[in-house]
Every structure is written in C-alpha cells, then in structure tokens.
C-alpha cells in the first residue's frame, strides 16, 4: 500500500480539522515543540506538499483543533507550565499573530479536548491536577467563566475526556473512572446532567480512553478497548443506551491502540451483545 509523503519531522501525532468541502488543515509539533501547519485547498497542499507553515509556541501536548464555520480554525495546546494556550485563523490571518498564542490559564493534567456545537461556539475540557474535569467556553464574545478561569465538573478521572456534540447546545463528555469503567455527563442546553459534578456510570472494564462520535441528532457511538484487547462499542439511540446502560457490544480484534472514531452512514444495530467481562520556530518552514 502506497502513501503520499507530506514531509516534516514530527514530534506528535497529526491533528486534522475541516471547515468545508475539499478542505483539510493538519497540525503537528516539530522536534523543537513548536506548532506547524499545512492545508489542502481542493487543488494542492499549501505551502507545498512537503513544506509546513510555522506557528510558534513551545508546546507540552499534541495540538487539538476544531472549526465552527467556513474559514475558521481554533487550535489549542498546553504550554510547558501546563496552562492552556489558543490561536485562531479568522479567514484572513492567525490571531493573535502567526507565532503568538492567547493564554487561557489552568494547571492541566491532560491534553485539551475541544468541540463546537454551532457558529462562534467552542467548548474546551481538560483534567486538572486533582483528576477532576474542568471546562471553559467561547460564546462568540468572550471566554466563560473568564479568560483564565475554569468551571469544575467533578469526577476522579483516569483518562482524558472524549467530547462530542450532536446538535446546537448539546455536549456529551466521556471519561474513564478509577475503576476503569466508563462515565458520562451531558449539557442539555440548560444544565449539566446528571448534575454539575456527578456522572452517569456506563459500565465496562476498559483498557483505553474512550472515543466518541456522532453521526446525527440524538446519536452517539462510543468505543473502548477491553482488558482482552478487543474492541467494544455502545450507542445512544436518542432514547436509551444500547445494548444496555452498562452493557457493551464486542467487536473483536486484538488491538494495541484505539484511534479516533470516524463518522459513517448509519447502519442497523446487530442483536448480539454482551458486557465487557472482568478478565519557538526553527525549521524554516519544515516541521
């Protein structure tokens, strides 16, 4: 199987975002821990198939990127002091500058997880040093609760959060607990459910952080590795968890890693299922 070479000398896995048809934006850390970027514009890779745009920084985590509309990109990293930093493409230029970053505070124990449920909206989640979940949001005008403060959402988390949105004003967050079970909370447009600091237990004995994806309103699919290194799945169908609140569908395999979920066309759910059983820049444009 052949691959297209895209150059660079990369220190982190790639992070990819899209803001419209025929558009891909790719971000990596270079060996000096700065951020680098390249984009597919529908015709060619920019700045070239093997060159990269330097975006500065001294980054302590892989980048996380999202888009809330055409020609908009928001990128987040942790700095060396474990605080969160942000930069954005506004359709004309990088803000606050091509190599500067906006400080967003915090003392973070995990890379950020980001999601957008609509234009001008970004929600960011991290683990704090107390293993609790923390949240902040851009509402189109300002960061809430403030540029450097965070909303505590409780928990004692053993994995970074996986976050997903299936519609306006909706967010679902998944983490592993200290018992290796999956836990969930949701923003329903008015409040955090089951409460700002409580979590819904979803069972399992998980050997990897969860990966969640949505392919439409009211639909969520979550994947984890079990202790047998097999892949397991559960789904929210808009009314209930399938195959049950604490049950999981086994998907087989002997896997060493769990990659991001990919949105696909909906398929009917199979019938057979069971629980998981305890058993600065310096590369001159090249990343």
């Amino acid at each position: 199987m052949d691959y297209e070479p895209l150059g660079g000398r990369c220190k982190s896995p790639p992070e990819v975002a899209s803001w419209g048809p025929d558009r891909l934006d790719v971000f990596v850390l270079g060996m000096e821990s700065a951020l680098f970027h390249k984009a597919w514009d529908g015709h060619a890779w920019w700045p070239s198939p093997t060159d990269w745009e330097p975006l500065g920084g001294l980054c302590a985590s892989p980048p996380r990127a999202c888009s809330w509309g055409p020609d908009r990109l928001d990128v987040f990293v942790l700095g060396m002091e474990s605080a969160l930093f942000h930069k954005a493409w506004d359709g004309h230029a990088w803000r606050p500058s091509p190599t500067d970053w906006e400080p967003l505070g915090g003392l973070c124990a995990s890379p950020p997880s980001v999601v957008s449920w609509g234009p001008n909206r970004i929600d960011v989640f991290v683990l704090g040093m107390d293993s609790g979940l923390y949240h902040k949001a851009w509402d189109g005008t300002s960061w809430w609760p403030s540029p450097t403060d965070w909303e505590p959402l409780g928990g004692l988390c053993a994995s970074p959060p996986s976050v997903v949105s299936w519609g306006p004003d909706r967010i679902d967050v998944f983490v592993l607990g200290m018992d290796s079970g999956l836990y969930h909370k949701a923003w329903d447009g008015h409040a955090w459910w089951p409460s700002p600091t409580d979590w819904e237990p979803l069972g399992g004995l998980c050997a990897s952080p969860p990966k969640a994806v949505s392919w439409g309103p009211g639909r969520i699919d979550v994947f984890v590795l079990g202790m047998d290194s097999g892949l397991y799945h559960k789904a929210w169908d808009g009314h209930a968890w399938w195959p049950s609140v604490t049950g999981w569908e086994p998907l087989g395999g002997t896997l060493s890693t769990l990659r991001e979920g990919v949105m696909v066309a909906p398929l009917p759910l199979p019938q057979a299922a069971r629980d998981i059983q305890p058993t600065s820049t310096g590369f001159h444009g090249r990343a």
Side-chain angles (χ1 to χ4, degrees):
M1 183 179 293
D2 292 327
Y3 285 84
E4 175 189 15
L6 293 180
R9 194 167 170 222
C10 307
K11 189 177 180 178
S12 75
E15 173 77 349
V16 185
S18 176
W19 51 251
D22 250 340
R23 178 72 188 202
L24 289 173
D25 288 83
V26 187
F27 301 87
V28 297
L29 299 189
M31 297 306 287
E32 80 285 25
S33 299
L35 187 70
F36 289 81
H37 165 250
K38 74 188 317 149
W40 174 259
D41 65 7
H43 304 283
W45 288 103
W46 183 90
S48 83
T50 57
D51 291 322
W52 292 75
E53 175 189 21
L55 294 179
L58 192 57
C59 309
S61 76
R64 295 291 183 260
C66 74
S67 174
W68 50 252
D71 227 348
R72 175 72 188 204
L73 292 166
D74 289 86
V75 189
F76 300 84
V77 297
L78 298 189
M80 291 300 174
E81 73 280 32
S82 299
L84 187 70
F85 289 81
H86 165 250
K87 74 189 316 150
W89 174 258
D90 65 6
H92 304 284
W94 288 104
R95 304 293 181 187
S97 82
T99 57
D100 291 323
W101 292 78
E102 175 189 20
L104 293 179
L107 193 57
C108 309
S110 76
S113 296
V114 300
V115 69
S116 174
W117 51 252
N120 272 310
R121 178 72 187 204
I122 308 166
D123 289 82
V124 187
F125 300 84
V126 297
L127 297 190
M129 293 299 177
D130 60 356
S131 298
L133 186 70
Y134 289 81
H135 164 249
K136 73 189 317 152
W138 174 259
D139 63 9
T141 304
S142 61
W143 287 103
W144 182 90
S146 82
T148 57
D149 291 324
W150 293 77
E151 175 190 21
L153 294 178
L156 195 57
C157 308
S159 76
S162 181
V163 298
V164 67
S165 175
W166 50 253
D169 234 345
R170 176 73 189 202
I171 303 170
D172 290 84
V173 188
F174 301 86
V175 297
L176 297 189
M178 293 298 176
D179 60 357
S180 297
L182 186 69
Y183 290 81
H184 165 246
K185 74 188 318 152
W187 174 258
D188 64 7
H190 303 284
W192 288 104
W193 184 91
S195 83
T197 57
D198 292 323
W199 293 76
E200 175 190 22
L202 294 179
L205 193 56
C206 309
S208 76
K211 300 295 184 184
V213 68
S214 174
W215 49 253
R219 176 70 187 210
I220 308 168
D221 291 84
V222 188
F223 300 84
V224 297
L225 297 188
M227 294 298 178
D228 60 358
S229 298
L231 185 66
Y232 290 82
H233 164 249
K234 74 188 314 153
W236 175 258
D237 64 8
H239 304 284
W241 288 105
W242 185 94
S244 72
V245 173
T246 57
W248 291 77
E249 174 193 17
L251 296 179
T254 304
L255 310 175
S256 60
T257 60
L258 184 59
R259 299 301 184 187
E260 296 288 347
V262 177
M263 288 190 295
V264 296
L267 296 174
L269 289 170
Q271 296 301 309
R274 64 173 175 85
D275 288 352
I276 295 179
Q277 295 301 314
T279 60
S280 177
T281 67
F283 274 28
H284 303 95
R286 290 182 181 269

